[in-house]
């Protein structure tokens, strides 16, 4: 098995928490570089990412190379005590490549070629592109593989390209041949008896190009799998070259959280550390919740070990239609959210603000206005804070709670032929995550094939495509004492996206003790009743419901399937009135819930809260956290972060001591706007404590 922390720890054991930024020195005259290094030192930056977009500067034409500038900046950085994450520049090929070899350029589904003049203009299966990328990678690895400043390799940038060109069609056919062995196998898997789609020769098979009406869903699913695999191939090809010449230095690439185009569980197996990019939207402060979930995905990808926030914005970005600046203090809060959830470093895009090019308006550690600025001062304060948190470096943050997520299922579920486009996979994921977030309980987002034994609670918000052996493993784990909560429209399809026959959720029916016969996306909201709020056992029809609840998007026509199952909530209005909407089933030594609707927050809070208690997990919070407040615990330290502009009061179950000031806190804490506290809780505190407030 792969250990991600080893890769990152080989760096952080020397540097402590990493504090980094993308640095593009080719945009400024060399004479200004020493000043940049002084500012890095002043801000506490200990690593810069270099060369991400330097291809044309390194290889100005097909047969000319220029490494002198990179030699010089690496030497200066090294002298200045700044480590380097060296990038291969393969995300943005120089114009000469596209000009001489237009077939390296990608085409969209309609066959339109995407030209150079921007970035990312390559087709992942282009042999000529790959050769050129491998050549520049090899040149860098040979020259800098053992350079003392280079502590990490950064392959490409945010790998995400897709192309539908003829060369891609050829690679797709090879991939399909390996997967299915024969045309007959492919025709069966794709169900080509439908709409006269049977293929008679391999040459007929194309990427899913623009067509008159709905595509074959398995064709589309396989193309997504194939395209994701191509991106991983680009990564591993460069990584293997780097490893030959730079065996001691960890290699990774910057992921994009819940990016739809690549299955990051595959990347997690091949990278030496998990690096991820996350950009909170300052105009929608609630995006910190998606940030927390994304950081917990990284924790899961890293199997509980530390990971690295490779990019974030010091203030505004330039790529949303309306780019608000971060509020004073938000940079610290955003950054510590990642650290609290396992990041051993925080990096910014970018170090110095560009005055030209398409990212002129993107914030940077050093704004156009220079060092005497709010952003630079806040960045420096963050740099100092990260070093104060050095004691956490290398500390794993495994969670007892898993949320199952699968790119395959995401791709299959959001097919345009589905029953509704309103039961969004990520929306459901967030809905099930939120009750945990509100209780200060962090999770690991893991693949349905991951071993579950180190978890006490498993949430399955929505797994439309679920392999039978993964369903069996979940049921077996619950049978042995686990606790699971399963969301709607789960277990519906097999690996090919074929719908299972019989009552759903089919492969999970025995686990959840309830089965259904029809999905009924809602035209108007329907009311729900909680039947058994205290979970005193068995359904108590007619028990008063504490509050009205509604499902607004989705309902399922269900009936109990097992004597061990009890109804938790029913539909109260509409044609399903009186039928179960949420069910709890005792299964062996454990229990599972099934929710057959888009449950309102209060119902999910009730169900997840009960499951948390049954799983024996305790929240550090009394009740729930107020809006805007995040609590995440790492190695016994509570990070208490206020993401909003209001003062918020939090009640914790234990007294604590401020890690930095040593100041003792009672169980009631008032958080000022954008406060970021790091508290040592519980036992240790009692020792130091002389007088409690
Ligand atoms: C992405 C890229 C960077 C830069 C930033 C801007 O994350 O990786 O090169 O474009 O966005 O926010």
């Amino acid at each position: 098995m792969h250990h991600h922390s080893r890769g990152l720890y080989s760096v952080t054991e020397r540097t402590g928490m990493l504090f980094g930024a993308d640095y593009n020195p080719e945009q400024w005259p060399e004479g200004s570089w020493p000043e940049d290094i002084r500012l890095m030192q002043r801000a506490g930056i200990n690593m810069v990412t270099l060369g991400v977009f330097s291809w044309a500067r390194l290889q100005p034409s097909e047969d000319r190379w220029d490494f002198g500038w990179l030699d010089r900046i690496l030497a200066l950085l090294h002298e200045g005590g700044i480590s380097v994450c060296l990038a291969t520049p393969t995300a943005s090929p120089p114009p000469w490549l596209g000009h001489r070899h237009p077939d390296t350029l990608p085409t969209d589904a309609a066959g339109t070629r995407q030209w150079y003049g921007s970035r990312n203009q390559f087709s992942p299966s282009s042999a000529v592109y790959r050769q050129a990328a491998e050549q520049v990678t090899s040149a860098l690895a040979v020259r800098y593989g053992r350079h003392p400043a280079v502590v990490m390799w950064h392959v490409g940038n945010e790998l995400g390209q897709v192309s539908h060109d003829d060369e891609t069609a050829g690679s797709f056919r090879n991939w399909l041949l390996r997967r299915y062995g024969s045309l007959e196998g492919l025709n069966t898997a794709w169900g080509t008896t439908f709409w006269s789609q049977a293929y008679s020769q391999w040459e007929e098979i194309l990427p899913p190009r623009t067509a008159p009406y709905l595509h074959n869903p398995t064709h589309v699913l396989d193309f997504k799998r194939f395209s994701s695999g191509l991106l991983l191939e680009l990564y591993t090809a460069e990584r293997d070259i780097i490893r030959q010449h730079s065996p001691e230095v960890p290699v990774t690439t910057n992921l994009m959280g819940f990016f739809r185009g690549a299955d990051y569980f595959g990347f997690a197996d091949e990278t030496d550390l998990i690096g991820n990019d996350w950009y909170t939207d300052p105009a929608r402060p609630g995006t910190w919740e998606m940030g927390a979930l994304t950081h917990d995905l990284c924790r899961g990808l890293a199997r509980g070990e530390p990971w690295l926030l490779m990019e974030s914005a010091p203030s505004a970005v330039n790529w949303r239609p309306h780019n608000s600046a971060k509020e004073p203090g938000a940079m610290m809060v955003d950054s510590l959210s990642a650290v609290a959830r396992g990041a051993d470093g925080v990096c910014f895009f970018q170090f110095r603000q560009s005055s030209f090019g398409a990212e002129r308006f993107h914030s940077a550690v050093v704004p156009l206005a220079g060092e005497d600025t709010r952003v630079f001062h806040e960045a420096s304060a963050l740099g100092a804070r990260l070093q104060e948190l050095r004691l956490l470096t290398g500390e794993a943050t495994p969670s007892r709670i898993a949320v199952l997520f699968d790119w395959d299922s995401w791709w299959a579920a959001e097919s345009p032929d589905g029953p509704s486009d309103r039961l969004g996979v990520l929306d459901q994921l967030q809905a099930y995550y939120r009750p945990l977030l509100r209780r200060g309980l962090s999770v690991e987002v893991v693949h349905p094939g991951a071993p579950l034994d180190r978890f006490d609670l498993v949430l399955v918000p929505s797994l439309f495509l679920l392999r039978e052996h993964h369903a069996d493993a979940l049921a077996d784990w619950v049978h042995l004492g686990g606790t699971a909560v399963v969301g709607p429209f789960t277990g519906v399809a097999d690996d090919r996206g074929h719908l299972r026959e019989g009552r759903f959720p089919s492969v999970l029916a025995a686990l959840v003790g309830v089965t259904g016969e029809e999905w009924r996306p809602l035209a108007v909201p329907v009311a729900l009743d909680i039947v058994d709020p205290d979970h005193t056992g068995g359904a108590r029809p007619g028990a008063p419901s504490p509050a009205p609840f509604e499902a607004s998007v989705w309902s399922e026509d269900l009936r109990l399937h097992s004597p061990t199952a009890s109804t938790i909530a029913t539909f109260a209005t509409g044609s399903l009135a009186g039928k179960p909407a949420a069910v709890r089933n005792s299964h062996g030594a454990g229990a599972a819930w099934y929710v057959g609707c888009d449950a309102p927050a209060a119902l999910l809070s009730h169900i997840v809260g009960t499951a948390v208690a049954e799983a024996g997990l305790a929240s550090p919070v009394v009740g729930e956290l107020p809006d805007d407040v995040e609590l995440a615990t790492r190695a016994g330290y509570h990070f208490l972060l206020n993401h909003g502009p209001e003062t918020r009061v939090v009640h914790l179950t234990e007294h604590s001591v401020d890690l930095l000031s040593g100041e003792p806190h009672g169980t009631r804490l008032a958080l000022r706007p954008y406060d970021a506290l790091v508290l040592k809780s519980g036992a240790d505190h009692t020792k130091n404590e002389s007088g409690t407030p």
Side-chain angles (χ1 to χ4, degrees), residues 438 621-631 640-642 646-652 666-673 675 677:
R438 287 298 167 108
V621 184
V622 177
E624 296 194 6
L625 290 164
D627 281 350
D628 294 338
V629 174
E630 175 177 12
L631 187 158
L640 207 44
L641 308 171
N642 185 353
E646 313 282 337
T647 294
R648 301 284 186 185
V649 172
V650 176
H651 294 274
L652 301 184
T667 53
R668 178 189 182 279
L669 286 99
L671 294 177
R672 289 184 305 271
D675 237 353
L677 305 180

Side-chain angles (χ1 to χ4, degrees), residues 212-456:
Y213 187 45
L214 296 170
H215 284 102
N216 177 312
T218 313
H219 181 185
V220 174
L221 176 60
D222 274 347
F223 189 68
K224 293 224 158 69
R225 290 169 166 153
F226 157 79
S227 297
S228 169
L230 282 181
L231 298 172
L232 187 57
E233 267 177 43
L234 294 180
Y235 169 77
T236 55
E238 292 190 24
R239 179 206 59 193
D240 291 347
I241 292 168
I242 293 166
R243 278 205 182 143
Q244 277 174 37
H245 306 288
S246 193
E248 304 297 326
V249 181
V251 186
T252 192
T253 184
N254 50 343
L255 306 177
M256 294 177 274
F258 291 95
F259 168 65
R260 211 166 179 277
D263 177 351
Y264 285 161
F265 290 111
F267 275 80
D269 290 335
E270 303 294 343
T271 48
D272 295 329
L273 62 111
I274 297 297
N276 191 59
D277 299 349
W278 169 255
Y279 290 91
T280 317
D281 184 352
R284 297 189 308 135
T287 53
W288 74 265
E289 294 194 355
M290 192 59 191
L293 176 56
T294 302
H295 303 332
D296 281 351
L297 168 67
C298 294
R299 181 211 308 269
L301 291 170
R303 301 192 181 96
E305 301 288 340
W307 54 276
L308 179 63
L309 181 61
M310 289 199 95
E311 282 185 29
S312 56
S315 187
V317 300
N318 66 306
W319 40 264
R320 294 189 178 103
H322 180 71
N323 297 294
S324 299
K326 286 192 177 176
E327 288 300 309
M331 178 201 294
M332 179 75 79
V333 172
D334 280 349
S335 302
L336 293 193
S337 172
V339 174
R341 293 174 189 277
D344 263 1
V346 171
C347 306
F348 287 125
F349 183 88
Q350 57 182 334
F351 176 68
R352 185 182 272 287
Q353 185 173 354
S354 306
S355 57
F356 48 80
E359 293 182 324
R360 295 169 295 173
F361 291 103
H362 200 291
S363 62
V365 173
V366 184
L368 295 174
E371 67 190 293
D372 187 17
T373 48
R374 177 188 69 80
V375 169
F376 186 81
H377 293 314
E378 287 194 29
S380 306
L382 174 61
R385 193 84 185 267
L386 289 173
Q387 280 317 313
E388 288 160 356
L389 294 172
R390 187 182 182 125
L391 77 164
L392 292 178
T393 315
E395 289 286 344
T397 52
S399 172
R400 309 292 308 168
I401 306 174
V403 172
L404 302 191
F405 181 77
D406 185 4
W407 264 266
D408 251 348
S409 181
W410 188 13
W411 294 327
E414 295 190 349
S415 177
D417 70 326
S420 171
D421 65 357
R422 296 192 215 159
L423 192 73
V425 168
L426 293 188
D427 293 340
Q428 289 301 300
L429 192 64
Q430 280 196 270
Y432 282 70
Y433 179 71
R434 197 164 288 124
L436 298 170
L437 199 58
R438 287 298 167 108
R439 287 168 174 79
L441 295 167
S442 43
V443 315
E444 279 178 51
V445 178
V446 305
H447 187 267
L452 298 178
D453 28 291
R454 67 187 177 87
F455 301 111
D456 296 318

Side-chain angles (χ1 to χ4, degrees), residues 56 91-106 113-122:
S92 193
W96 59 255
L97 187 71
H99 179 70
R100 267 212 62 192
H101 303 284
D103 54 345
T104 60
L105 299 168
R113 184 164 276 166
Q114 293 166 334
W115 291 91
Y116 46 86
S118 176
R119 65 173 180 187
N120 308 337
Q121 71 286 355
F122 60 85

